[in-house]
Structure formats: C-alpha cells, structure tokens
Amino acid sequence: MRNRSFASVLLLLIVAISAAATERQPNSDYRARRTALSEKTNGGTVILFAPTEAEGPNDLYGFRQEDNFYYLTGSKEPGLALLISPAQPASANSPARPYTEILFLPGHNLSQEKWTGPKLGPESPDAKERTGFDRVAKLDTMRDELVRILPQPRASVYTEQGKSSASAGPLEWLSRANAFPNYVGFADVNPLLASLRVKKDAGEIALIRKATDASVAAHFAALRTVKPGVTEREISALMQYEFGKRGCERPAYAPIVGSGFYSTVLHYSEDENTIKHGDLVVMDVAGEYSMYASDITRTVPANGHFTARQLEIYNIVLGAHDAAIKAFKAGASTLSRSGSNSLYQVAMDYINTHGKDLHGEPLGKYFIHGLGHYVGLNVHDAGEVNAPLQPGAVFTIEPGIYIPEENLGVRIEDDFWVNERGELINLSGALPSTADEIEKAMAPNQK
Ligand code: GLY
Ligand code: MN
C-alpha cells in the first residue's frame, strides 16, 4: 500500500465501487454469447464498435453502453471495438485458424477521464481477466489484425452499418485503410443477435427480476400516495426514488403518469398536471437494473374508488389481459397483430365483444397499440414479433382502452417470462391488478 501512489489507490477504489454498482454476469456468460454468435455467421467475422462518450446517450444520465455491445461483452466502457471470428479451415490463400476473439481498447484520454472517470486501458495488466476475452489489444492495432485474420481474397463481415450505428464511421475508416480484402461482403449482425437475445439466460432473468421487484415496490408506493391534489410529477418523482433506492440506475423509459384526459395519451411524459377527484391515473413507470429493463403499468382512480363506467372499462381491459394469459401456449403464441396464434387477436376479440362506447360502437378501435413487446437490455427489446414465444422469452402483456371523449384511459401491463417448462411466469404479479385489490391498497390515502 505504501508504495502505491494516491492516484492509483483512488483508481482502484473507483473501479471497485463502480464494479459493485452494476451487477455483471460471469465472464463465461458473455463468452458463451460470443461463441453462439460466431456459430451463426457461416464462417463470417463479427466486427462491432461501442459508441464513444460523445455518441452514447445521454446528457441527462451520461454514457450508456449500446445494447448489443453490452450483451456480447458485459462492458460499460465507451469506444471499444470487438472482433469475433469462427475457426477457419486452411484454404489456398489462408492458413487454418482457431476461433478468435479480440477486444480492442482505445488509449487513455486523460483530460476526458478527469470529467467522466478512469477507463480500462489496453495496458492494464488485468484487462484480460476483467473482460474475459482471450485477447485484448490496443484499438490502434485493429487494422493490422483485420488484415491478418480476414481470409483472402473473400471475407464476409457481420456488423451494423446504419448511419446512426457507432460502427459506421470506424468501418469507413478501416475501408480507407485497406483493412478488408478485395471481395468483402458486409451483412447486418442485428437479426443474428436478436435471435440470441430473445432467449434470456438465467443471469439475465435474475437481473430482470431485480428491475421488476424494484419497480413493483415503486408502484406500491404510488398506490399509497395517489389522491386528488397530488401532482403527476410528485408520483413520477416518488417512483423514481423508490426504484433508485433499490439499485436501479435510471428509468427504463420516460416515466408516464397521466391523469384525466392524459390517461388516454399513450406516451404522455410531461407529467405536469394535478390529479383531480374523479380522474383515472395511468402510471407506466419502471426502472432499469444493471442495464436490464422492467415495464409495468397500473391504472388507478384518483380518489380510491372507480366510478361505475371506469370500473366497466377497467374490467374489460383486465379481462383482455387475463384472456391473453389463458390463451398462451409456449412455442405457438405470438406477439404479432395477426395469425391464428396471435395473443393480440385474443385481447382484441375480448375487448370488441365486451362493452360499448357512448355511440354504441364496439371498443376495439380504442385499443390502439400492440399487445406487448420483448423486454431485456432495451424496454422494447430485440426479437422477431411474428415468431412463436419460446422458453427464455420475456415480454409484456399490456392491453389498453383509451377513450378521449370520456377522459378515460386504462392500461394494465405486466412482465412475463416463459420458463424452461414452457410455463408463463408473471414477474410483476405481486402488484394488485383487480379493481378490488387496487381500491383496498388505496384505502389509507383517503383518511
Ligand atoms: N412502457 C412504455 C412502452 O411500452 O412503450
Ligand atoms: Mn410496454
């Protein structure tokens, strides 16, 4: 200890603290994802770049790692690059090569580190151990490594090419630097990654559970607080405090607390009104825990009692939610809007065959969004919506009816996991969802 400089002790402390802040899965989990991806590329090489601190969102919460990059590395550091190449047999122009993976780290920008903290550098003696990569190298060497690794004269490279991707600029530079062979085919890595990301491993489920448990606690706090005269912003702030206190680093999406007319506005996030007697309040709020999202909505009456009309619509939405759960069959049901296995259709049929609007019309036209979406590193996570829901999937079921003419919006949203046995597990099921349960939970607020 005596031989270490104050700066290096401080650096160790900061690294130890930040390591405790985000729960990272074991290195072997991220490596398993990299090898699984390399098995899907038909011999192609994956090249991906993490955003830099200037590119990664955002002004409010600081840098956040890009989802695919995090999925493959478990690293929150900006500016990294990744290469994964499957074993190659010998060919006329290239010798045989084993499976290869390299994490490239940029050199330090010491003045930037004064603003946003120390970074892992390629010179760190424990960089391999910390990242779990077979090899780590200086980002500057990437061009020469590509020339060495990519087969000649033909190579296929899986990456993200869209203009908004962090990989687009660096790939352009690598092309100029003649890093690629004459005949290089670029393909989109996203569909391959989506097919992997849709099946969550045990470590991911544990993190989604933590995000969800913290968000459920936030909803319980809101149930105890909503009453006429309280502002939407106070409820939003309270919920963010409650899930933050339980370890969430940020909201998983812009919190929505909408009362009265604003209960009918799907992504209302101004949260600027005062809750009034007779309003319904839609609260679509959840946190992100160690990079994994939750997504929960409850709808409650401002004064703790649903009116007869609010109760009628509430029970139709709950009935649609429960009908979709009942209809679920692992390996068959989908989140698609059409098709014989569509859970959306089940919910839509339920809504259309129960209740009417003020003009005697069926209510289906007021269910104006999809039934659900995958949840994971992103609140609207990667995955094919038309594909059957398989074990490992995590997704929302969130029917809603929004009637602006009646200032009446209801959404009920829970997060579900399909376990190894194909059973549907409601991860947010600890939260009240029947009208009775909600009124009971809110009874103390009226005193
Ligand atoms: N909870 C926000 C959304 O699903 O769009
Ligand atoms: Mn949602």
Side-chain angles (χ1 to χ4, degrees), residues 160 188 366 373:
E160 288 178 330
D188 186 5
Y366 301 98
H373 51 84

Side-chain angles (χ1 to χ4, degrees), residues 47 155-159 161 171 175 180 184-188:
I47 301 175
S156 99
V157 171
Y158 282 81
T159 187
Q161 288 181 286
L171 284 173
S175 287
F180 301 113
V184 62
F186 290 100
D188 186 5

